[in-house]
Amino acid sequence: MHKSSSSSSFGPGGLDIAQSFFKPTQKTATPTTPTKPTKISIVGAGNVGMAIAQTILTQNLADELALVDANPDKPRGEMLDLQHAAAFLPRTTILASDDYAVTTASDLCIVTAGARQNPGESRMSLLHRNLALFEKIIPPLVKYSPDTVLLIVSNPVDVLTCVAWKLSGFPSNRVIGSGTNLDSSRFRFLIADHLDVNAQDVQAYIVGEHGDSSVALWSSISVGGVPVLSFLDRQQIAYEKETLQKIHKEVVESAYEVISLKGYTSWAIGYSVASLARAILRDQRSIHPVSVLASGFYGIGIGTGGDVFLSLPARLGRSGVMGVANVHLTDEEVKKLKDSAKTILEVQSQLGI
């Protein structure tokens, strides 16, 4: 294992000068044992993984940050680059390695690693390669951090979150997919743009699959506490369903547009995942649409016998998922959500999951 971290060693022979550099004050109490530092590990040092790492560092969400990648030079290079910015960042110990031992005692493990699709390769072939990759990633994370919360970002996120859950043996509340948290942010932005308000004042969710079968919960959208569709009905303001469908389509296609322009997505998912890390590690009990074990909710999975992860508005805290918000859905929304679950289950069936 090649592992690097910050050190107090300095000078010939690695002399530790930390004790002599500071003069202790008089009449001090015996130093108390510090509480366990908060540790986050990120598997995958690509564009997404490093955008998440950078956001976590700037938002001071961890005392220790471990970067893991199959190519040992990549995380080490990223570690050094970030350490050189130490004067501008909150104090965080950064570790880097290709050995999962570096993740020991992590409070949160974020998985961004995934195989890239080769030219002419089928989606199913790519999925099989990602399954094989997760079989190498999840067990060592569990071995070194048996009490961690797993946060899966790799795509297809709903299928791979289910895979991670089964490989880990963890209770379902400690395995979460980033799901439609970012989709919902895009949704809120587009609605806010249409209404000329701040996106933070818009309450709106995309649920279901993180993909083409996702569901926009129009019936529960509110702006400043005002339910939008019922307000329009009361005011007898006409709106076209096609307009709503167009906004949802923009949400689904947003990532494709970014990828076509810059080659990949990174910053938005970085902020999205950092918001989930904050909710979990700081026990904020905040609501986020993330991929959770959805069987039993809204009739999902009943009669199919299959376990399915998809996004629902979930309350997140230190133990992971603390519950799913009982959001009222219209009959049409429930049908679409069930169809989204079937889409995921069909893929899992083809993979033998």
Side-chain angles (χ1 to χ4, degrees):
M1 177 184 81
H2 184 78
K3 167 182 158 185
S4 299
S5 66
S6 301
S7 174
S8 60
S9 297
F10 195 80
L15 177 65
D16 187 349
I17 65 169
Q19 298 300 318
S20 59
F21 196 77
F22 297 98
K23 184 178 180 180
T25 56
Q26 298 182 16
K27 299 181 180 179
T28 58
T30 302
T32 57
T33 302
T35 57
K36 176 186 175 298
T38 301
K39 183 173 181 177
I40 298 177
S41 290
I42 299 176
V43 180
N47 295 317
V48 170
M50 293 316 302
I52 294 170
Q54 190 267 350
T55 311
I56 284 172
L57 287 173
T58 56
Q59 295 187 6
N60 196 20
L61 298 180
D63 301 303
E64 295 182 13
L65 179 66
L67 306 175
V68 180
D69 196 277
N71 174 6
D73 290 342
K74 184 66 165 64
R76 177 168 167 75
E78 296 287 5
M79 178 198 70
L80 292 172
D81 202 4
L82 289 170
Q83 285 179 337
H84 297 165
F88 316 114
L89 292 170
R91 186 172 184 268
T92 305
T93 299
I94 305 174
L95 311 171
S97 181
D98 60 340
D99 189 323
Y100 284 85
V102 78
T103 67
T104 296
S106 294
D107 299 285
L108 178 66
C109 290
I110 302 171
V111 181
T112 71
R116 292 188 178 184
Q117 192 163 9
N118 297 321
E121 183 180 25
S122 69
R123 181 168 178 261
M124 197 55 58
S125 172
L126 176 65
L127 280 170
H128 277 292
R129 289 202 293 126
N130 273 325
L131 286 180
L133 185 63
F134 265 51
E135 288 173 353
K136 297 178 181 178
I137 291 174
I138 303 302
L141 289 179
V142 172
K143 173 185 175 182
Y144 290 111
S145 300
D147 298 318
T148 194
V149 173
L150 290 175
L151 176 53
I152 310 303
V153 182
S154 311
N155 279 316
V157 67
D158 302 298
V159 173
L160 291 179
T161 302
C162 187
V163 170
W165 172 56
K166 292 186 176 183
L167 288 172
S168 69
F170 283 177
S172 61
N173 61 293
R174 288 204 283 130
V175 184
I176 306 166
S178 57
T180 58
N181 194 53
L182 178 52
D183 304 74
S184 297
S185 175
R186 291 167 175 150
F187 192 35
R188 292 169 64 188
F189 161 73
L190 290 170
I191 294 169
D193 196 45
H194 275 73
L195 299 178
D196 194 25
V197 297
N198 191 312
Q200 292 183 345
D201 294 317
V202 177
Q203 187 82 2
Y205 295 122
I206 298 286
V207 297
E209 178 199 20
H210 172 57
D212 295 343
S213 72
S214 64
V215 183
L217 298 186
W218 290 102
S219 64
S220 61
I221 293 175
S222 65
V223 177
V226 179
V228 172
L229 295 192
S230 59
F231 172 80
L232 295 178
D233 288 336
R234 286 198 307 272
Q235 298 297 318
Q236 296 183 341
I237 300 173
Y239 62 89
E240 295 182 350
K241 196 171 183 179
E242 289 74 15
T243 302
L244 307 185
Q245 292 171 342
K246 182 180 178 182
I247 293 175
H248 182 212
K249 185 179 179 182
E250 284 186 64
V251 172
V252 173
E253 296 179 350
S254 291
Y256 300 128
E257 182 179 7
V258 174
I259 291 170
S260 69
L261 292 170
K262 62 176 275 190
Y264 56 89
T265 62
S266 57
W267 299 121
I269 188 64
Y271 281 103
S272 173
V273 174
S275 74
L276 301 178
R278 185 188 308 108
I280 294 166
L281 296 177
R282 295 187 178 172
D283 200 27
Q284 290 190 326
R285 317 295 176 98
S286 51
I287 311 295
H288 294 268
V290 290
S291 193
V292 300
L293 182 60
S295 301
F297 292 101
Y298 304 103
I300 295 169
I302 295 177
T304 65
D307 294 312
V308 61
F309 278 70
L310 53 72
S311 286
L312 295 172
R315 183 166 63 126
L316 301 182
R318 194 61 186 79
S319 60
V321 177
M322 304 181 69
V324 172
N326 190 19
V327 178
H328 173 73
L329 307 186
T330 65
D331 291 342
E332 182 182 5
E333 289 168 345
V334 170
K335 181 182 181 303
K336 288 181 177 179
L337 187 59
K338 287 182 177 179
D339 289 342
S340 188
K342 287 178 183 177
T343 299
I344 299 169
L345 283 168
E346 286 172 3
V347 174
Q348 292 181 181
S349 177
Q350 293 177 53
L351 292 169
I353 299 173

